[in-house]
Amino acid sequence: MRRFSLLALAIGTAGSAIAQTAPSASDIASYAGLHLAAHEGDVDEINRLIAAGADVDIRDRSQRTPAHIAGFASHDDALTALANGGADMNALENRAYDVLTIAAVADDPELVSLAMELGNAPDQITSVYDGTALIAAAHLGHHDVVARLVEGGAPLDHVNNLAWTALIEAVVLGDGGPDHIKTVQILVDAGADKSIGDSDGISPLQHAISRGYAEMVEILK
């Protein structure tokens, strides 16, 4: 009973989490300078403003830098221009997300790879859960992103403050469908530690068995 209660509490907490939030219409209406150029993907204006001495890491009211805005808008060229202009690619906004985790949640593999190429560390701790971009992607079953992050050196066995790894999240917060099955396969093939359990010592395999996720069970055995 205690194990069920703790797990239910953790799942409920994860589901109601303060998630990353893209700029609202009112945010966008207030933008000027680099924030506006990043939102619009205007590389020429980004380069002009940086050359004129604009603060490349200026923050909006939610502590988003222009790089965050380019990430939310999926403007790869704008992000590259900002990074080339000295933007901090590991900056965190007010909900502790970086560009890499924004791209991971958006299921944007190309932006994930670009962010890492531009210096966004795949092992950075992000979100209110002290997680990583890999955990966020595994949670959502974004297997192409998971593969890119694994290739980029993301830590496979990081444990967040819910006591979950990427592998556990793919099982516990997944739906047992093809996307989460592929995610589990990628993590296991990469060497994720299948023996790490949650705060009650329940392993990913045990979670998969209890949910009737037969294909995951075969991968995790």
Side-chain angles (χ1 to χ4, degrees), residues 138-161:
H139 166 182
L140 296 166
H142 293 166
H143 52 83
D144 289 335
V145 167
V146 168
R148 300 279 183 113
L149 289 167
V150 167
E151 183 179 355
L156 297 175
D157 300 318
H158 175 79
V159 179
N160 65 16
N161 61 19

Side-chain angles (χ1 to χ4, degrees), residues 172-196:
V172 171
L173 298 180
D175 60 7
D179 291 336
H180 286 94
I181 291 169
K182 288 180 183 177
T183 296
V184 169
Q185 186 72 69
I186 291 166
L187 291 169
V188 169
D189 288 347
D193 189 341
K194 297 180 290 184
S195 70
I196 298 175

